[in-house]
């Protein structure tokens, strides 16, 4: 069974530029999460989708971050304009109710803003 | 939201030693997972353990939901166990967001 796929793996951009990350969850998983992990800290939830609807986006900085999950499968997380403090790993995860909502993570997208 | 505290924050072991990592949480939970983050940043699911005890090889985990803590045991540690260990409980009331602690950083020396 294929795992959670993310791209790109690494991205370096200048501040005020924009960047987009893509995630393809495990087949059949209705719930998709985007987490931000800053070096030395635990992952922090940015947004949670159930199918193509948003469950929680209370910690998403909506002035610069946006996310969508069209058709309830793939998802895209965008940052525009980027700030230095956005340098982090962006982790996508998915889960299925059938497995007690066990979460599986992708390898992450490493962002450096210079 | 639920508060999660992990201890110790850092742990250094000699290969072959045993260790216990602790996760305390502030609310009742219906879901808790333990993860290992390897040096390349990948988060690997170790256990789904909202209550009770589970074992997988040299690793085992126990969650006492009524007392709001979970323990991860590593026996006969190996250098490949190095990395950061996270617990992520999910509150059974209010939001159902899996919330991560700051993790325990483990280094196992040969």
């Amino acid at each position: 069974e294929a795992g959670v796929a993310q791209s790109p793996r690494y991205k370096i951009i200048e501040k005020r530029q924009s960047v987009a990350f893509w995630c393809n969850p495990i087949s059949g998983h209705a719930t998709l999460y985007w987490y931000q992990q800053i070096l030395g800290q635990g992952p922090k939830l940015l947004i949670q989708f159930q199918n193509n609807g948003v469950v929680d986006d209370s910690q998403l900085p909506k002035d610069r971050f946006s996310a969508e999950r069209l058709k309830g499968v793939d998802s895209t997380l965008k940052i525009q304009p980027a700030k230095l403090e956005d340098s982090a790993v962006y982790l996508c995860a998915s889960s299925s109710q059938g497995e007690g909502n066990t979460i599986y993570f992708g390898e992450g997208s490493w962002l450096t803003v210079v | 939201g639920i508060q999660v505290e992990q201890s110790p924050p850092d742990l250094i072991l000699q290969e072959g030693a045993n260790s216990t990592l602790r996760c305390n949480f502030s609310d009742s939970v219906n879901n808790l997972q333990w993860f290992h983050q390897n040096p390349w940043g990948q988060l690997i699911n170790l256990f789904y353990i909202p209550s009770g005890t589970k074992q997988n090889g040299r690793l085992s985990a126990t969650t006492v939901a009524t007392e709001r803590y979970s323990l991860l045991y590593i026996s006969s540690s190996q250098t490949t166990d190095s990395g950061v260990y996270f617990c992520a409980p999910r509150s059974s009331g209010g939001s159902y967001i899996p919330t991560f602690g700051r993790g325990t950083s483990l280094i196992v020396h040969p």
Side-chain angles (χ1 to χ4, degrees):
Chain A
E1 179 184 85
V4 178
Q6 290 189 246
S7 66
R9 286 279 284 137
Y10 306 95
K11 192 76 174 179
I12 301 175
I13 62 172
E14 295 182 350
K15 58 184 179 183
R16 292 186 291 273
Q17 287 187 324
S18 63
V19 63
F21 302 113
W22 172 83
C23 173
N24 184 251
I26 293 173
S27 177
H29 281 194
T31 307
L32 185 147
Y33 313 80
W34 282 103
Y35 281 84
Q36 178 194 57
Q37 186 176 21
I38 293 172
L39 188 64
Q41 299 181 17
K44 182 186 82 171
L45 183 76
L46 292 176
I47 189 167
Q48 177 179 342
F49 291 96
Q50 181 76 18
N51 296 306
N52 60 351
V54 176
V55 174
D56 191 299
D57 63 356
S58 58
Q59 298 188 90
L60 185 74
K62 298 180 185 65
D63 58 334
R64 298 183 300 104
F65 286 65
S66 65
E68 61 182 10
R69 191 183 184 196
L70 300 176
K71 300 181 181 178
V73 182
D74 293 9
S75 178
T76 302
L77 176 70
K78 296 180 181 177
I79 308 174
Q80 181 178 16
K83 292 185 175 182
L84 297 177
E85 58 260 36
D86 298 332
S87 295
V89 181
Y90 292 86
L91 296 158
C92 181
S94 68
S95 67
S96 166
Q97 278 192 311
E99 297 179 79
N101 285 312
T102 301
I103 299 172
Y104 298 91
F105 279 87
E107 292 183 311
S109 293
W110 297 65
L111 174 66
T112 300
V113 183
V114 298
Chain B
I2 190 170
Q3 304 300 310
V4 183
E5 290 185 8
Q6 291 189 242
S7 60
D10 301 283
L11 189 56
I12 299 175
L13 300 174
Q14 206 68 30
E15 200 166 31
N18 302 327
S19 62
T20 301
L21 282 57
R22 187 176 180 102
C23 171
N24 292 332
F25 40 91
S26 60
D27 294 337
S28 56
V29 300
N30 59 8
N31 184 316
L32 186 144
Q33 284 183 251
W34 280 96
F35 295 89
H36 174 221
Q37 189 165 41
N38 64 26
W40 297 271
Q42 174 87 50
L43 276 161
I44 307 298
N45 178 43
L46 296 177
F47 292 102
Y48 163 72
I49 184 163
S51 63
T53 298
K54 289 186 177 179
Q55 180 153 7
N56 184 3
R58 297 180 296 103
L59 302 181
S60 64
T62 295
T63 296
V64 184
T66 53
E67 297 186 22
R68 300 185 180 175
Y69 72 88
S70 184
L71 302 174
L72 179 69
Y73 306 95
I74 304 175
S75 64
S76 304
S77 59
Q78 300 176 359
T79 56
T80 52
D81 295 331
S82 297
V84 184
Y85 290 81
F86 291 101
C87 72
R90 190 195 301 245
S91 175
S92 58
S95 72
Y96 298 94
I97 300 170
T99 301
F100 283 75
R102 294 183 68 92
T104 292
S105 176
L106 173 64
I107 298 175
V108 181
H109 289 302

